[in-house]
Amino acid sequence: MAHQAHAYHMVDPSPWPLTGAVAALLLTSGLAIWFHFHSTILLTLGLVLLLLTMYQWWRDIVREGTFQGHHTPPVQKGLRFGMILFITSEVFFFLGFFWAFYHSSLAPTPELGGCWPPTGITTLDPFEVPLLNTAVLLASGVTVTWAHHSIMEGERKQAIHSLTLTILLGFYFTFLQAMEYYEAPFTIADGVYGATFFVATGFHGLHVIIGSTFLAVCLLRQIQYHFTSEHHFGFEAAAWYWHFVDVVWLFLYISIYWWGS
Amino acid sequence: MAEDIKAKLENYRTAPFDARFPNQNQTRNCWSNYLDYHRCQKALDAKGVDNTPCDWYKRVYKSICPMSWIQKWDDQRAEGIFPGKI
């Protein structure tokens, strides 16, 4: 019987990288087709394939780690590096949008009236809903830390409660932000102010939704006894991502909502 | 004929160096003087005083601003949609 003489994980052949690549192709070409020929068929196909790929690939990883024991300490270390590198790449992604915001707001052009906020823009009061949103995300940072400690201490019920609370806070943020978007006196088409505001906060909101989904998956796994007090990297990765989302919001709040008003 | 043109050339003047705008991009210089002229005009007219001191700004902006910009801003002021604060 053949056994590996090392602690690493030689992954079995899998179709999901291929289906993911095909999904990427369908999404990109589908976007172009939608723009020019008004058809959404490729786009829809790409989205469905992407969702199926994500579900099945990550399901397989859970099987390999939690049920088959392939996630030894060295393997976990690799996963940690991977998550850190991914989050770092996301930091750079947001850095670009902050660069765009500061480029336009530090030296406002004559078209804007030479001032920031530009002439004609009524900004949102940073001390109303945006401040509440800040409190909500900061609180969710506390609850996710509570959840982590609960998991490490083997407190199953507390872990479930605090993780649920974190996800609810995430939903509350998304709901509040959606209301703000609906009621805002300016749109994405309102000059560079609208563009920088909605692109930066919009991508942030998308990341909140992604983070909430990641945490929700962790909640389901916690309920199903996947995590041990020593080994729960999936949860840690979700928590790291959630803290990253919170920090991005803090920068958004200070730069765009507060200084930019 | 040649003397007239030479004399004419010698009398050409442009806006002097303004240390507030030392770099190649002079957009802000044009914008600033356009605003300053119209603010000066508005302020002195409100006091009912002669607004000849404002002419400096007028000559600077007429020298260094592209004519299309001046036209566009004048039209915007006429329509009440000029974005600058005067």
Side-chain angles (χ1 to χ4, degrees):
Chain A
M1 207 150 74
H3 288 116
Q4 63 186 52
H6 60 82
Y8 296 97
H9 185 195
M10 302 301 286
V11 187
D12 290 330
S14 163
W16 313 130
L18 181 60
T19 60
V22 172
L25 175 63
L26 289 174
L27 284 171
T28 45
S29 55
L31 203 62
I33 296 293
W34 178 51
F35 286 162
H36 293 278
F37 305 115
H38 253 283
S39 162
T40 54
I41 179 75
L42 280 181
L43 206 51
T44 317
L45 219 58
L47 206 57
V48 167
L49 194 54
L50 177 68
L51 291 169
L52 284 173
T53 302
M54 293 195 293
Y55 175 72
Q56 290 174 109
W57 195 338
W58 283 325
R59 175 208 62 197
D60 284 354
I61 294 174
V62 168
R63 286 173 174 175
E64 290 159 4
T66 305
F67 304 144
Q68 296 176 338
H70 286 291
H71 289 180
T72 60
V75 171
Q76 222 195 100
K77 198 163 169 211
L79 293 170
R80 283 173 193 280
F81 274 128
M83 192 63 194
I84 289 169
L85 288 173
F86 172 65
I87 291 178
T88 306
S89 77
E90 293 247 81
V91 168
F92 282 107
F93 179 70
F94 277 97
L95 229 50
F97 295 119
F98 276 100
W99 181 354
F101 168 73
Y102 278 112
H103 176 101
S104 299
S105 59
L106 285 168
T109 61
E111 287 82 357
L112 307 173
C115 53
W116 193 275
T119 308
I121 295 283
T122 12
T123 60
L124 301 172
D125 187 341
F127 299 112
E128 293 192 352
V129 175
L131 188 58
L132 174 59
N133 272 340
T134 306
V136 168
L137 282 186
L138 286 174
S140 71
V142 170
T143 53
V144 80
T145 307
W146 174 16
H148 191 195
H149 283 266
S150 303
I151 292 175
M152 291 193 289
E153 288 158 33
E155 294 274 3
R156 176 184 164 78
K157 219 162 64 151
Q158 271 196 51
I160 290 172
H161 286 168
S162 48
L163 192 42
T164 307
L165 197 46
T166 308
I167 296 166
L168 287 176
L169 286 167
F171 284 165
Y172 188 34
F173 176 94
T174 305
F175 169 75
L176 286 168
Q177 193 69 324
M179 295 268 84
E180 283 284 271
Y181 270 28
Y182 186 71
E183 300 283 337
F186 52 86
T187 72
I188 197 173
D190 284 321
V192 75
Y193 183 88
T196 49
F197 181 91
F198 283 108
V199 170
T201 61
F203 271 118
H204 173 261
L206 177 65
H207 284 70
V208 171
I209 292 168
I210 292 169
S212 301
T213 309
F214 196 171
L215 288 167
V217 168
C218 287
L219 178 60
L220 290 172
R221 293 185 66 201
Q222 163 68 4
I223 291 171
Q224 296 182 313
Y225 300 93
H226 286 201
F227 300 136
T228 74
S229 55
E230 312 269 284
H231 189 169
H232 43 261
F233 176 65
F235 172 82
E236 286 183 70
W240 290 350
Y241 195 79
W242 192 251
H243 287 305
F244 155 70
V245 160
D246 186 9
V247 169
V248 170
W249 170 259
L250 293 174
F251 278 101
L252 280 175
Y253 180 73
I254 302 286
S255 306
I256 297 183
Y257 285 91
W258 195 351
W259 177 82
S261 68
Chain B
M1 188 64 173
E3 293 84 14
D4 289 333
I5 294 174
K6 233 168 126 187
K8 206 173 164 189
L9 285 170
E10 246 155 80
N11 288 326
Y12 276 171
R13 292 282 178 269
T14 186
F17 173 70
D18 188 337
R20 296 175 300 164
F21 314 104
N23 298 322
Q24 183 175 341
N25 188 335
Q26 293 288 295
T27 304
R28 207 76 188 169
N29 192 350
C30 151
W31 173 251
S32 188
N33 280 286
Y34 183 88
L35 284 181
D36 287 344
Y37 171 68
H38 289 95
R39 286 173 183 168
C40 172
Q41 195 187 37
K42 182 177 174 186
L44 294 188
D45 283 350
K47 287 189 184 170
V49 172
D50 175 37
N51 63 14
T52 318
C54 301
D55 280 352
W56 172 263
Y57 302 120
K58 184 173 180 181
R59 291 173 66 195
V60 171
Y61 89 69
K62 285 223 183 272
S63 290
I64 65 177
C65 290
M67 295 185 320
S68 58
W69 292 14
I70 299 173
Q71 188 60 49
K72 182 175 74 185
W73 293 338
D74 288 346
D75 292 343
Q76 285 178 334
R77 280 189 306 114
E79 283 180 66
I81 57 173
F82 182 68
K85 194 161 164 207
I86 293 188

